[in-house]
Amino acid sequence: MNNKIPVYILTGFLGSGKTTILKKMLNHEKKVGKNPALILNELGSENVEKELFENESMIEMLNGCICCTIQEDLKTELAQLLRTRQDLNVLLIEGTGIANPGDIVEALTHPDLIDLVEIQSVIGLVDASRYLEYQSLFQSSKEIRVMLKQQIASSTLIIVNKIDLLDDKKLNKVIAKIEDIKLKDAPMVFTTFGDVTTEVVFAKRFLTEALDIKDKKHHHDHHSHPFQAVKISGFEAVSKGKFKNWLNDQSHSLIRAKGYICFQKDDTLFSFQYASGQLHVTPIESNKETCMILIGTDLDQKTLISSFDQFVRQIH
């Protein structure tokens, strides 16, 4: 039985309509008998929208952005919340307007959290009325353009909001620019005042799989989710150099990898991080089981697991 808490992540630049969508999602879940919890992130020392959710189960992450300075706090507080509130059955996360949702995904797929939560979708809000302005070399900064690209490229659903505030010609330009950035399987929906159906917004568009290599349960083969996180656990010690080479060989679809690992001829357990072809390891004192979390787009899980099986066999 899957007891993981389903998680929906809301992302989008300042003023795009995230809070409107969040309120609608929250009201829907309560109406159908769910017990939702919220994570609201603000860069400042106070959440000015707190009164909108004053009677809800909520974690406020202040004075920083989930995706960077307070990521460790998120992992600690969320793990505590999920262990103490057994009645919670859905989690809604609203990042700051400048948050990179890819980094929020990374926090939620940490080895200590991946067995507690299951990401359902990364919902990206776009303010159609100002998108061309934000993309302009003359009207915005490089930081804003990069941040918007990160938000759209990491979203599994794009809600193009405020379409009533621009004409068809400009809307078509917005659509063309988003098409160049977004995940190929991520749908776009067009809204005014965030009016989107619950069927669309609550659809599962992110795949998280936990696979135990010892049990050889590798029959999963999914292709309908553009973003995926796959956990493999219980494998033997490996060669550090060959392990890095194996990760590099998957780079066409693999974005990140992390977890706990042991290397041959060494009894130490290491925490590892892999990105952009670089493997970083840190020794830790723990009796945790070895595990590896692979994050990517359009991962062919059957081929991936078969490849790792073969890699482990070759070095033993």
Side-chain angles (χ1 to χ4, degrees):
M1 182 182 238
N2 184 2
N3 294 318
K4 294 182 179 181
I5 304 297
V7 179
Y8 296 87
I9 301 168
L10 282 165
T11 184
F13 194 45
L14 305 169
S16 58
K18 295 189 301 298
T19 302
T20 298
I21 297 290
L22 179 63
K23 290 171 63 179
K24 290 182 178 182
M25 293 178 72
L26 176 65
N27 290 337
H28 173 269
E29 293 297 84
K30 292 169 68 176
K31 189 175 180 179
V32 298
K34 298 286 186 68
N35 294 317
L38 306 177
I39 294 181
L40 301 181
N41 184 206
E42 289 289 342
L43 287 173
S45 60
E46 183 177 354
N47 178 10
V48 295
E49 296 177 330
K50 180 179 179 179
E51 69 277 2
L52 298 175
F53 307 102
E54 59 183 356
N55 296 319
E56 310 298 340
S57 297
M58 179 170 57
I59 296 177
E60 289 185 278
M61 309 298 293
L62 304 176
N63 287 317
C65 182
I66 285 176
C67 65
C68 44
T69 56
I70 58 175
Q71 194 179 93
E72 287 299 321
D73 292 340
L74 169 66
K75 289 184 287 193
T76 301
E77 292 204 33
L78 180 54
Q80 176 68 16
L81 174 69
L82 296 179
R83 289 189 173 101
T84 56
R85 287 291 308 276
Q86 298 296 318
D87 60 320
L88 296 179
N89 45 30
V90 64
L91 181 64
L92 307 175
I93 299 178
E94 180 187 348
T96 71
I98 62 168
N100 178 354
D103 291 331
I104 300 175
V105 168
E106 180 168 332
L108 295 174
T109 54
H110 185 274
D112 294 341
L113 285 181
I114 194 170
D115 293 325
L116 300 177
V117 300
E118 184 172 21
I119 302 170
Q120 303 294 299
S121 186
V122 180
I123 302 166
L125 273 290
V126 175
D127 179 351
S129 69
R130 302 195 66 187
Y131 185 75
L132 297 178
E133 171 191 336
Y134 293 145
Q135 290 296 307
S136 170
L137 294 173
F138 306 102
Q139 295 178 282
S140 71
S141 66
K142 178 181 178 181
E143 289 75 18
I144 289 177
R145 294 193 297 274
V146 169
M147 179 270 304
L148 284 172
K149 182 176 181 179
Q150 289 174 337
Q151 292 180 346
I152 291 172
S154 298
S155 296
T156 57
L157 169 67
I158 310 292
I159 298 176
V160 183
N161 197 25
K162 304 185 182 182
I163 61 171
D164 57 314
L165 300 180
L166 73 172
D167 58 33
D168 290 344
K169 183 178 179 180
K170 287 186 177 180
L171 179 59
N172 287 334
K173 287 183 179 180
V174 171
I175 293 171
K177 287 183 176 294
I178 294 174
E179 286 281 4
D180 286 340
I181 299 171
K182 76 177 187 68
L183 294 164
K184 66 178 182 179
D185 294 326
M188 271 194 287
V189 296
F190 303 92
T191 64
T192 300
F193 301 111
D195 188 13
V196 59
T197 66
T198 55
E199 289 80 9
V200 170
V201 80
F202 282 105
K204 182 174 173 58
R205 306 182 192 275
F206 190 107
L207 180 67
T208 303
E209 289 286 349
L211 307 171
D212 192 331
I213 195 170
K214 293 179 295 187
D215 295 337
K216 298 292 186 290
K217 295 178 180 177
H218 308 327
H219 56 279
H220 304 276
D221 189 13
H222 300 268
H223 299 284
S224 59
H225 303 279
F227 240 118
Q228 296 150 299
V230 179
K231 177 185 175 184
I232 304 173
S233 61
F235 50 85
E236 300 177 69
V238 299
S239 162
K240 181 179 180 180
K242 291 181 179 179
F243 178 60
K244 181 181 178 181
N245 291 339
W246 181 83
L247 290 170
N248 287 338
D249 288 342
Q250 320 307 317
S251 61
H252 60 285
S253 57
L254 185 66
I255 298 173
R256 294 280 285 109
K258 56 193 172 182
Y260 303 117
I261 196 165
C262 289
F263 297 117
Q264 292 174 327
K265 300 179 182 179
D266 190 339
D267 294 330
T268 306
L269 181 68
F270 292 89
S271 170
F272 80 89
Q273 299 280 339
Y274 171 84
S276 303
Q278 300 298 312
L279 176 65
H280 299 282
V281 300
T282 304
I284 60 174
E285 293 185 6
S286 175
N287 59 356
K288 294 178 182 292
E289 183 182 47
T290 57
C291 73
M292 172 172 59
I293 298 165
L294 306 167
I295 302 173
T297 57
D298 296 319
L299 296 176
D300 186 332
Q301 295 180 58
K302 187 175 181 180
T303 301
L304 190 67
I305 299 304
S306 176
S307 173
F308 189 70
D309 274 344
Q310 185 176 6
F311 161 71
V312 172
R313 287 197 303 269
Q314 286 176 346
I315 61 177
H316 286 281

